[in-house]
Structure formats: C-alpha cells, structure tokens
Amino acid sequence: MTMFYLIHLKTLPFLFLLHTQLAKSFPVAPEHLEKKNLEIAENYLKRFYHLPSTQFRDAGRSSIMVAEKLKEMQRFFGLAETGEPDSATMEMMAKPRCGVPDSGDFMLTPGNPKWTHTNLTYRIINHPSQLSRDEVRRAIERAFQIWSVASPLTFTEISQQEADINIAFVPRDHGDNSPFDGPNGILAHAFQPGLGIGGDVHFDSEETWTQDIRNYNLVLVAAHEFGHSLGLSHSSDHGALMYPNYAYTEPSTYSLPQDDINGIQTIYGPSNNPIQPTGPSTPTACDPHLRFDAVTTLRGEIYFFKDKYFWRRHPQLREVDLNFISLFWPFLPTGLQAAYEDFDRDLVFLFKGRQYWALSGYDLQQGYPRDISTYGFPRTIQAIDAAVSYKGKTYFFISNQCWRYDNQRGSMDPGYPKSIASTFPGINCRVDAVFLQDSVLLFFSGPQYLAFNLVTHRVTRVARSNVWLNCT
Ligand code: 7FY
Ligand code: CA
Ligand code: ZN
Ligand code: ZN
C-alpha cells in the first residue's frame, strides 16, 4: 500500500463536501468526472503549489485553501481566476510538464507502521574498526537530528535499558535472515517501527565507514536507514534522502529535502517549532519560473547549474540528464554563481562568492579554491553573476556591469568595468548565467534567455530559459 492510498482514503469526506459546494458550477458534468477532476486538481496543487495534505488542513477551511491555490495557479497561467477546476484549468494541468524528474514522492511503509510515542530512545551496541566510539556517537546524533528538526520526534541515547532503536555493526549472517554481503552491495538495513527488533538498524561491518566524502559516509547512510526505522519507504524523488541510491552530500550543512519532510510529517505531524522547517526541493526542469545559477560548456556538453544539481545537455543528441553536483565534484559547494570554460587550457572555472575552482574534467586543479582577487577584482566585489570566455578574453558580469579579463596578460583590460548594455547592446538586464556556442553568447536572465550574435553584435532571439531542457 502506498502513500497515495493513505491520502486518498482520508480525502474522501473532504471531497464530498467540496463536491456539493461546486455542484452548481458544473450543470452538465457527470458526477464521477467532477470528482475525478477535483482529485487531479488536488494532486497537482500538492505537487506544484504546496497545497498541504488533507490531514494538515483546517477542516473548515479546506475547500477555501484548495480554491485559493487554484486561483494562484490560474493567475500564473493567465486563466480566469474562478478558483474552480473548470475545463480550461484542467486542460492546463493535463499538459505534460516535461522533464519533471519522475517527480515522485515519498512512500510510507506498507501497512503504515509508526511509533506511538515521539520521545524515542536509541542504543549504539558497537562500532566499526575505522571509527571510534565517539565518532560513531557523533555521526548517529547528527543523523537523528536531520529528522528531529523536521518532526515532533526527539531522540535520546541510552546505554542501559532496552531502547526503541538498537544500532549495530555486524557482518554477513547475523541472525535476522538478512545476511550482509561484504564490501559494497548492501550497506545497511533497518526494520520498520515496532517492538523488539522493530526500528533497529544494522550496518554492514565490512564496509569502510567514513566521516567524509569517501564511501560510505556514516551520517548519510544512517539518516537514510533511520527514515525506514520511522516508517518511510523509498521515494522516487531523486533528491530525497529516501531515494534508493546512495549519493554523497556534505552532512554538516545537509538539510532534510522537502519530499522527506512531507513524508515524515505525514506520519507524525508538523514540527513543534513555531517556524516550520522547509527543505530543498528537486528542481523541475519545466517550471516556468526556473532560473539557472550558472551555465557553462565542458568538453562539448552544456552544464546548467541549479542549487545542488546540474542538468547536462549533449548539443547534438538533445538529451538532458539531472545529477547532483556532488556526484561529479564532491569538493564543490552547492549554489554556484558563475562558470566558464577556458577552451585553450581545457579548464572550467566555477565561482561562488569570492572563491573559485578550476576543473580539468572531473579533477580539481592544484591550489584551488582561490580568491577572485587573483583576477584583479577589488575587495568590494562579493560575487560574480556570470562569466564566459571568448577569443582570449574572459567577460565577467556583475550587477549591470561587465569586466573584461585578458587571459594571456593575466589582468583586467583597461576601461573596464563598463555597463553591460554598452558592451552587448540589447542586454540591459542583470545576467544569471551565460555561455558561448558557435559565436553566439547565450545570456540567461530570470526565466528567459537572449541570444547575442558576436559577429553581427545583435540580439537575435529571446525565449524561455528552459527550452534548453527540452521544455515546450
Ligand atoms: C538500503 C536499505 O535501506 C534497505 O532497506 C535495503 C538495502 C539498501 N541498500 S543500501 O544499503 O545499499 C543503501 C542504499 C542507499 C543504503 C543507504 C542508501 C542511501 C540513500 C540515500 C542517501 C544516503 C544513503
Ligand atoms: Ca555490503
Ligand atoms: Zn540485520
Ligand atoms: Zn533504503
């Protein structure tokens, strides 16, 4: 049984209520169609407009919340703001939002097992050879904290009595009919909430457990397993902690993705914190508001950076895939701000704040990150919006100004910065990102891009940014 059914069942009383209120606006629609429309509309609003799940809506205001969210959606698409799932609205909702990375959702464990108390206890039975007892305790504490900030749950370590969640590092056959397989393969497993072995987590003691980017980071694997201990199953959202595949992310700054927050709060309700935590959402390629952090070519492919992700596009194949930045370059931060390729040196430079990194393919060049003062930027420049290199010069875009750096001489050209519009007529907006393709500069500004022909010195095209991700 999946999440869908759980919400579905709980939604029924509410659906009937809304249904009778809207009946007059649908004189001809057959009843079953009407109900179906409402269901589709609700799922759509939950997915793209943060409509809370039924159980977290104030019963009396539930239908009003749906109507408000509908109006918001209608306003966005330029439809009549009826607040009702009329045919024009349903048609818009039915349009494929391409590239939505099988924008899955969290799943609850079949049968919906959960803890009936919120003050959970855990006990660390042993530790693996590579990490000390204290290192394991710190990692486990951090992994629980990832879940406790987003839920009403608390986790307390105990060393004597029986704990809710027992944590152990064990090899091969260890008496629960789920033997481990030695290095790699299965890393750990967890039992769903319940008495006895319920909630317990076992880690394969033959893995190399680490506190850094090396496989496998204990905090991340533990946090994933604890999701199972709390009643969550795997999610199809690629950015979720409960996604089935291990992916490295810096644990000290990790915050629980929104999909996992939605999952844990579906089971245990919102956090007791007056300010409800929110988490990063996996970007949707065809979100009409999508804007890029940075764009660059790299050895013939185009990389579009956004938050902790990038899309990669092969220019001929038109194929686009979404990946974590950390999967290719675990040493890079998220939220990059500018990037360019130096074709002569076969290097890519990436910028965030005053720091920058030089990459040769997957590898970080020695001596990086460096400070942008090496380019000749004064102390007053705190960040670069966009950068691109062309014919031995590198152009940096900062606010409404453009700086030009001479790659050979290794210094800024005199006369710069200049206004962007005086250097590139027609580009009179702030630039989020820019890259070069066949003597054309592609400038991204908010949800649109402008193509600037370097030969004719004119803007030749303006279109939506995410057509680059094959969105129509
Ligand atoms: C994971 C798991 O939770 C199971 O119940 C059975 C098999 C599993 N596979 S695993 O041990 O290789 C594993 C895979 C991914 C463990 C953790 C993760 C993980 C996923 C996302 C973020 C961090 C870790
Ligand atoms: Ca293993
Ligand atoms: Zn086990
Ligand atoms: Zn899992």
Side-chain angles (χ1 to χ4, degrees), residues 345-364:
R345 294 159 71 197
D346 187 27
L347 292 176
V348 161
F349 294 87
L350 297 140
F351 298 79
K352 180 174 182 173
R354 287 191 56 95
Q355 280 193 307
Y356 73 102
W357 292 258
L359 307 178
S360 171
Y362 292 130
D363 302 323
L364 180 67

PDB file of all heavy atoms in Angstrom, residues 345-364:
ATOM      1  N   ARG A 345      42.965  26.236 -22.505  1.00  0.00           N
ATOM      2  CA  ARG A 345      43.619  25.440 -21.450  1.00  0.00           C
ATOM      3  C   ARG A 345      42.832  24.194 -21.080  1.00  0.00           C
ATOM      4  O   ARG A 345      43.242  23.450 -20.187  1.00  0.00           O
ATOM      5  CB  ARG A 345      43.830  26.318 -20.211  1.00  0.00           C
ATOM      6  CG  ARG A 345      44.824  27.454 -20.467  1.00  0.00           C
ATOM      7  CD  ARG A 345      44.646  28.583 -19.457  1.00  0.00           C
ATOM      8  NE  ARG A 345      45.095  28.234 -18.122  1.00  0.00           N
ATOM      9  CZ  ARG A 345      44.746  28.909 -17.027  1.00  0.00           C
ATOM     10  NH1 ARG A 345      43.941  29.956 -17.104  1.00  0.00           N
ATOM     11  NH2 ARG A 345      45.198  28.544 -15.846  1.00  0.00           N
ATOM     12  N   ASP A 346      41.665  23.968 -21.730  1.00  0.00           N
ATOM     13  CA  ASP A 346      40.783  22.844 -21.395  1.00  0.00           C
ATOM     14  C   ASP A 346      40.470  22.792 -19.901  1.00  0.00           C
ATOM     15  O   ASP A 346      40.601  21.761 -19.255  1.00  0.00           O
ATOM     16  CB  ASP A 346      41.389  21.503 -21.864  1.00  0.00           C
ATOM     17  CG  ASP A 346      40.413  20.344 -21.672  1.00  0.00           C
ATOM     18  OD1 ASP A 346      39.187  20.576 -21.683  1.00  0.00           O
ATOM     19  OD2 ASP A 346      40.896  19.199 -21.476  1.00  0.00           O
ATOM     20  N   LEU A 347      40.068  23.957 -19.372  1.00  0.00           N
ATOM     21  CA  LEU A 347      39.692  24.032 -17.959  1.00  0.00           C
ATOM     22  C   LEU A 347      38.323  24.679 -17.843  1.00  0.00           C
ATOM     23  O   LEU A 347      37.931  25.483 -18.695  1.00  0.00           O
ATOM     24  CB  LEU A 347      40.698  24.889 -17.177  1.00  0.00           C
ATOM     25  CG  LEU A 347      42.109  24.349 -16.997  1.00  0.00           C
ATOM     26  CD1 LEU A 347      42.982  25.385 -16.288  1.00  0.00           C
ATOM     27  CD2 LEU A 347      42.096  23.035 -16.206  1.00  0.00           C
ATOM     28  N   VAL A 348      37.605  24.308 -16.770  1.00  0.00           N
ATOM     29  CA  VAL A 348      36.353  25.004 -16.446  1.00  0.00           C
ATOM     30  C   VAL A 348      36.531  25.674 -15.097  1.00  0.00           C
ATOM     31  O   VAL A 348      37.106  25.087 -14.170  1.00  0.00           O
ATOM     32  CB  VAL A 348      35.161  24.026 -16.443  1.00  0.00           C
ATOM     33  CG1 VAL A 348      33.978  24.602 -15.667  1.00  0.00           C
ATOM     34  CG2 VAL A 348      34.727  23.747 -17.872  1.00  0.00           C
ATOM     35  N   PHE A 349      36.094  26.933 -15.015  1.00  0.00           N
ATOM     36  CA  PHE A 349      36.196  27.685 -13.771  1.00  0.00           C
ATOM     37  C   PHE A 349      34.798  27.912 -13.205  1.00  0.00           C
ATOM     38  O   PHE A 349      33.878  28.290 -13.938  1.00  0.00           O
ATOM     39  CB  PHE A 349      36.889  29.031 -14.020  1.00  0.00           C
ATOM     40  CG  PHE A 349      38.324  28.887 -14.423  1.00  0.00           C
ATOM     41  CD1 PHE A 349      38.671  28.711 -15.766  1.00  0.00           C
ATOM     42  CD2 PHE A 349      39.327  28.873 -13.466  1.00  0.00           C
ATOM     43  CE1 PHE A 349      40.003  28.554 -16.138  1.00  0.00           C
ATOM     44  CE2 PHE A 349      40.665  28.712 -13.835  1.00  0.00           C
ATOM     45  CZ  PHE A 349      41.000  28.555 -15.172  1.00  0.00           C
ATOM     46  N   LEU A 350      34.657  27.666 -11.907  1.00  0.00           N
ATOM     47  CA  LEU A 350      33.356  27.816 -11.239  1.00  0.00           C
ATOM     48  C   LEU A 350      33.489  28.783 -10.071  1.00  0.00           C
ATOM     49  O   LEU A 350      34.506  28.757  -9.370  1.00  0.00           O
ATOM     50  CB  LEU A 350      32.882  26.453 -10.732  1.00  0.00           C
ATOM     51  CG  LEU A 350      32.639  25.453 -11.851  1.00  0.00           C
ATOM     52  CD1 LEU A 350      33.122  24.077 -11.470  1.00  0.00           C
ATOM     53  CD2 LEU A 350      31.183  25.449 -12.240  1.00  0.00           C
ATOM     54  N   PHE A 351      32.464  29.604  -9.866  1.00  0.00           N
ATOM     55  CA  PHE A 351      32.543  30.687  -8.890  1.00  0.00           C
ATOM     56  C   PHE A 351      31.406  30.639  -7.884  1.00  0.00           C
ATOM     57  O   PHE A 351      30.261  30.368  -8.233  1.00  0.00           O
ATOM     58  CB  PHE A 351      32.479  32.047  -9.610  1.00  0.00           C
ATOM     59  CG  PHE A 351      33.621  32.260 -10.549  1.00  0.00           C
ATOM     60  CD1 PHE A 351      33.627  31.659 -11.805  1.00  0.00           C
ATOM     61  CD2 PHE A 351      34.709  33.039 -10.170  1.00  0.00           C
ATOM     62  CE1 PHE A 351      34.697  31.841 -12.672  1.00  0.00           C
ATOM     63  CE2 PHE A 351      35.781  33.228 -11.028  1.00  0.00           C
ATOM     64  CZ  PHE A 351      35.777  32.621 -12.290  1.00  0.00           C
ATOM     65  N   LYS A 352      31.754  30.928  -6.628  1.00  0.00           N
ATOM     66  CA  LYS A 352      30.736  31.172  -5.604  1.00  0.00           C
ATOM     67  C   LYS A 352      31.317  32.160  -4.603  1.00  0.00           C
ATOM     68  O   LYS A 352      32.368  31.897  -4.028  1.00  0.00           O
ATOM     69  CB  LYS A 352      30.325  29.886  -4.901  1.00  0.00           C
ATOM     70  CG  LYS A 352      29.262  30.160  -3.830  1.00  0.00           C
ATOM     71  CD  LYS A 352      28.716  28.908  -3.197  1.00  0.00           C
ATOM     72  CE  LYS A 352      27.645  29.282  -2.191  1.00  0.00           C
ATOM     73  NZ  LYS A 352      26.948  28.107  -1.645  1.00  0.00           N
ATOM     74  N   GLY A 353      30.639  33.257  -4.379  1.00  0.00           N
ATOM     75  CA  GLY A 353      31.176  34.308  -3.525  1.00  0.00           C
ATOM     76  C   GLY A 353      32.500  34.768  -4.099  1.00  0.00           C
ATOM     77  O   GLY A 353      32.624  34.976  -5.305  1.00  0.00           O
ATOM     78  N   ARG A 354      33.516  34.904  -3.250  1.00  0.00           N
ATOM     79  CA  ARG A 354      34.824  35.324  -3.750  1.00  0.00           C
ATOM     80  C   ARG A 354      35.734  34.133  -4.070  1.00  0.00           C
ATOM     81  O   ARG A 354      36.885  34.301  -4.432  1.00  0.00           O
ATOM     82  CB  ARG A 354      35.501  36.255  -2.720  1.00  0.00           C
ATOM     83  CG  ARG A 354      34.848  37.662  -2.683  1.00  0.00           C
ATOM     84  CD  ARG A 354      35.687  38.634  -1.870  1.00  0.00           C
ATOM     85  NE  ARG A 354      37.063  38.748  -2.340  1.00  0.00           N
ATOM     86  CZ  ARG A 354      37.505  39.682  -3.187  1.00  0.00           C
ATOM     87  NH1 ARG A 354      36.676  40.604  -3.649  1.00  0.00           N
ATOM     88  NH2 ARG A 354      38.774  39.709  -3.536  1.00  0.00           N
ATOM     89  N   GLN A 355      35.180  32.936  -3.966  1.00  0.00           N
ATOM     90  CA  GLN A 355      36.003  31.753  -4.229  1.00  0.00           C
ATOM     91  C   GLN A 355      35.780  31.228  -5.639  1.00  0.00           C
ATOM     92  O   GLN A 355      34.690  31.349  -6.185  1.00  0.00           O
ATOM     93  CB  GLN A 355      35.628  30.644  -3.246  1.00  0.00           C
ATOM     94  CG  GLN A 355      36.252  30.811  -1.873  1.00  0.00           C
ATOM     95  CD  GLN A 355      36.105  29.531  -1.080  1.00  0.00           C
ATOM     96  OE1 GLN A 355      35.012  29.000  -0.942  1.00  0.00           O
ATOM     97  NE2 GLN A 355      37.207  29.030  -0.567  1.00  0.00           N
ATOM     98  N   TYR A 356      36.825  30.613  -6.205  1.00  0.00           N
ATOM     99  CA  TYR A 356      36.618  29.911  -7.466  1.00  0.00           C
ATOM    100  C   TYR A 356      37.486  28.670  -7.561  1.00  0.00           C
ATOM    101  O   TYR A 356      38.515  28.549  -6.899  1.00  0.00           O
ATOM    102  CB  TYR A 356      36.799  30.850  -8.659  1.00  0.00           C
ATOM    103  CG  TYR A 356      38.224  31.250  -8.965  1.00  0.00           C
ATOM    104  CD1 TYR A 356      38.913  30.640 -10.021  1.00  0.00           C
ATOM    105  CD2 TYR A 356      38.873  32.224  -8.227  1.00  0.00           C
ATOM    106  CE1 TYR A 356      40.215  31.003 -10.326  1.00  0.00           C
ATOM    107  CE2 TYR A 356      40.175  32.591  -8.521  1.00  0.00           C
ATOM    108  CZ  TYR A 356      40.843  31.977  -9.571  1.00  0.00           C
ATOM    109  OH  TYR A 356      42.130  32.336  -9.859  1.00  0.00           O
ATOM    110  N   TRP A 357      36.998  27.735  -8.376  1.00  0.00           N
ATOM    111  CA  TRP A 357      37.599  26.415  -8.530  1.00  0.00           C
ATOM    112  C   TRP A 357      37.935  26.196 -10.005  1.00  0.00           C
ATOM    113  O   TRP A 357      37.179  26.647 -10.874  1.00  0.00           O
ATOM    114  CB  TRP A 357      36.605  25.329  -8.095  1.00  0.00           C
ATOM    115  CG  TRP A 357      36.282  25.302  -6.629  1.00  0.00           C
ATOM    116  CD1 TRP A 357      36.771  24.431  -5.700  1.00  0.00           C
ATOM    117  CD2 TRP A 357      35.381  26.163  -5.914  1.00  0.00           C
ATOM    118  NE1 TRP A 357      36.247  24.697  -4.459  1.00  0.00           N
ATOM    119  CE2 TRP A 357      35.396  25.755  -4.552  1.00  0.00           C
ATOM    120  CE3 TRP A 357      34.578  27.257  -6.258  1.00  0.00           C
ATOM    121  CZ2 TRP A 357      34.636  26.380  -3.561  1.00  0.00           C
ATOM    122  CZ3 TRP A 357      33.821  27.890  -5.280  1.00  0.00           C
ATOM    123  CH2 TRP A 357      33.856  27.456  -3.954  1.00  0.00           C
ATOM    124  N   ALA A 358      39.038  25.508 -10.273  1.00  0.00           N
ATOM    125  CA  ALA A 358      39.395  25.176 -11.659  1.00  0.00           C
ATOM    126  C   ALA A 358      39.315  23.662 -11.821  1.00  0.00           C
ATOM    127  O   ALA A 358      39.901  22.910 -11.034  1.00  0.00           O
ATOM    128  CB  ALA A 358      40.799  25.665 -11.974  1.00  0.00           C
ATOM    129  N   LEU A 359      38.582  23.216 -12.841  1.00  0.00           N
ATOM    130  CA  LEU A 359      38.403  21.787 -13.074  1.00  0.00           C
ATOM    131  C   LEU A 359      38.993  21.378 -14.401  1.00  0.00           C
ATOM    132  O   LEU A 359      38.855  22.077 -15.404  1.00  0.00           O
ATOM    133  CB  LEU A 359      36.910  21.436 -13.145  1.00  0.00           C
ATOM    134  CG  LEU A 359      36.001  21.856 -12.011  1.00  0.00           C
ATOM    135  CD1 LEU A 359      34.577  21.430 -12.342  1.00  0.00           C
ATOM    136  CD2 LEU A 359      36.471  21.209 -10.716  1.00  0.00           C
ATOM    137  N   SER A 360      39.643  20.220 -14.370  1.00  0.00           N
ATOM    138  CA  SER A 360      40.035  19.579 -15.605  1.00  0.00           C
ATOM    139  C   SER A 360      39.178  18.325 -15.668  1.00  0.00           C
ATOM    140  O   SER A 360      39.497  17.319 -15.035  1.00  0.00           O
ATOM    141  CB  SER A 360      41.521  19.254 -15.539  1.00  0.00           C
ATOM    142  OG  SER A 360      41.853  18.455 -16.641  1.00  0.00           O
ATOM    143  N   GLY A 361      38.051  18.398 -16.377  1.00  0.00           N
ATOM    144  CA  GLY A 361      37.099  17.284 -16.358  1.00  0.00           C
ATOM    145  C   GLY A 361      36.552  17.082 -14.959  1.00  0.00           C
ATOM    146  O   GLY A 361      35.968  17.988 -14.387  1.00  0.00           O
ATOM    147  N   TYR A 362      36.778  15.879 -14.413  1.00  0.00           N
ATOM    148  CA  TYR A 362      36.296  15.596 -13.065  1.00  0.00           C
ATOM    149  C   TYR A 362      37.241  16.107 -11.986  1.00  0.00           C
ATOM    150  O   TYR A 362      36.870  16.146 -10.816  1.00  0.00           O
ATOM    151  CB  TYR A 362      36.141  14.082 -12.861  1.00  0.00           C
ATOM    152  CG  TYR A 362      35.043  13.461 -13.678  1.00  0.00           C
ATOM    153  CD1 TYR A 362      35.276  12.327 -14.438  1.00  0.00           C
ATOM    154  CD2 TYR A 362      33.763  14.018 -13.672  1.00  0.00           C
ATOM    155  CE1 TYR A 362      34.262  11.756 -15.192  1.00  0.00           C
ATOM    156  CE2 TYR A 362      32.749  13.449 -14.415  1.00  0.00           C
ATOM    157  CZ  TYR A 362      32.996  12.331 -15.173  1.00  0.00           C
ATOM    158  OH  TYR A 362      32.007  11.769 -15.916  1.00  0.00           O
ATOM    159  N   ASP A 363      38.472  16.465 -12.371  1.00  0.00           N
ATOM    160  CA  ASP A 363      39.503  16.708 -11.359  1.00  0.00           C
ATOM    161  C   ASP A 363      39.679  18.177 -11.021  1.00  0.00           C
ATOM    162  O   ASP A 363      39.717  19.036 -11.900  1.00  0.00           O
ATOM    163  CB  ASP A 363      40.848  16.148 -11.851  1.00  0.00           C
ATOM    164  CG  ASP A 363      40.742  14.667 -12.155  1.00  0.00           C
ATOM    165  OD1 ASP A 363      40.023  13.970 -11.410  1.00  0.00           O
ATOM    166  OD2 ASP A 363      41.358  14.221 -13.147  1.00  0.00           O
ATOM    167  N   LEU A 364      39.851  18.424  -9.732  1.00  0.00           N
ATOM    168  CA  LEU A 364      40.160  19.769  -9.252  1.00  0.00           C
ATOM    169  C   LEU A 364      41.632  20.033  -9.508  1.00  0.00           C
ATOM    170  O   LEU A 364      42.479  19.178  -9.230  1.00  0.00           O
ATOM    171  CB  LEU A 364      39.866  19.854  -7.752  1.00  0.00           C
ATOM    172  CG  LEU A 364      40.135  21.204  -7.067  1.00  0.00           C
ATOM    173  CD1 LEU A 364      39.170  22.261  -7.587  1.00  0.00           C
ATOM    174  CD2 LEU A 364      39.996  21.069  -5.555  1.00  0.00           C
TER     175      LEU A 364
END
